[in-house]
């Protein structure tokens, strides 16, 4: 079975994608940028999707998406993806969307597919595997509350300086939680 790909679609200059728990392992040893992880073929592999991982990527003009991939460990596996940015004024307009692509996931609507960047719409992932579908999560424009967060993150965030803020106690860092997408059931093992 083909690995499930995760594309984080960006329209900003910088972001940090984090699978958030209270501490997570770094997936890379330094931030990536430029052509790193810009297609499914060059996706950042997640070695064990049952563990919380984080990585940093500087978005630039090379690609509007950052791809990662993993082998689904079990049928009906629940996968979480979240995106945070540093709480810095120049990132206040950053929003990031997440697209989880895999076999037996729901079909995207024509409107959802049309909203994706061309490099994602035309990626061979859509034709390489039968019955391919996706979960599409859109970062809300209003980030002044934490209403867009799921149950786990809602219990660990507060509104700070007018933004939904997550304090990560292990690293002693704050981040604006711009996307939170939990309970993504990946039906097909492999």
């Amino acid at each position: 079975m083909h690995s499930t790909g995760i594309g984080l679609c960006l329209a900003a200059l910088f972001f940090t994608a984090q699978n958030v728990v209270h501490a997570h392992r770094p997936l890379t040893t330094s931030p990536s940028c430029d052509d790193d992880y810009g297609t499914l073929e060059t996706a950042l592999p997640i070695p064990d999707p049952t563990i919380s991982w984080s990585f940093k990527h500087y978005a630039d003009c090379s690609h509007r998406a950052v791809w990662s991939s993993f082998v689904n460990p079990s049928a009906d596996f629940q996968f979480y993806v979240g995106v945070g940015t540093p709480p810095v004024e120049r990132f206040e307009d950053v929003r990031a969307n997440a697209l989880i692509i895999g076999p037996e996931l729901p079909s995207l609507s024509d409107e959802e597919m049309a909203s994706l960047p061309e490099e994602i719409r035309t990626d061979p992932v859509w034709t390489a595997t039968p019955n391919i579908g996706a979960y599409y999560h859109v970062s809300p424009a209003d980030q002044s509350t934490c209403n867009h967060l799921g149950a786990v993150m809602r219990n660990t965030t507060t509104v700070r300086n007018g933004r939904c803020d997550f304090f990560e106690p292990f690293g002693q860092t704050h981040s604006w939680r711009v996307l939170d997408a939990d309970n993504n059931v990946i039906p097909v093992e492999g």
Side-chain angles (χ1 to χ4, degrees), residues 149-171:
L149 302 182
V152 172
M153 287 302 296
R154 197 173 300 128
N155 293 329
T156 61
T157 54
T158 59
V159 175
R160 180 175 175 250
N161 299 323
R163 289 295 298 257
C164 184
D165 181 80
F166 172 67
F167 177 70
E168 200 279 307
F170 180 75

Side-chain angles (χ1 to χ4, degrees), residues 13-65:
L13 297 177
F14 178 91
F15 90 112
T16 304
Q18 301 176 26
N19 289 339
V20 176
V21 179
H22 291 283
H24 17 262
R25 297 176 184 183
L27 199 51
T28 58
T29 56
S30 63
S32 64
C33 63
D34 294 327
D35 216 20
D36 297 340
Y37 320 122
T39 67
L40 182 58
E41 288 181 4
T42 62
L44 175 64
I46 299 173
D48 181 352
T50 66
I51 296 172
S52 179
W53 297 95
S54 68
F55 71 96
K56 296 179 180 180
H57 181 82
Y58 298 95
D60 55 31
C61 297
S62 300
H63 295 282
R64 289 195 55 209

Side-chain angles (χ1 to χ4, degrees), residues 86-159:
V88 178
E89 184 178 342
R90 69 178 187 218
F91 301 132
E92 68 184 17
D93 293 328
V94 170
R95 301 296 181 268
N97 301 335
L99 189 66
I100 303 171
I101 304 169
E104 306 299 328
L105 294 180
S107 297
L108 292 180
S109 69
D110 291 342
E111 182 180 340
E112 288 171 324
M113 188 61 91
S115 72
L116 299 175
E118 182 179 358
E119 67 186 86
I120 295 172
R121 287 193 316 268
T122 59
D123 192 277
V125 68
W126 299 106
T127 56
T129 305
N131 301 316
I132 200 78
Y135 293 122
Y136 186 35
H137 300 284
V138 177
S139 183
D142 182 1
Q143 299 279 324
S144 64
T145 71
C146 294
N147 293 343
H148 61 286
L149 302 182
V152 172
M153 287 302 296
R154 197 173 300 128
N155 293 329
T156 61
T157 54
T158 59
V159 175

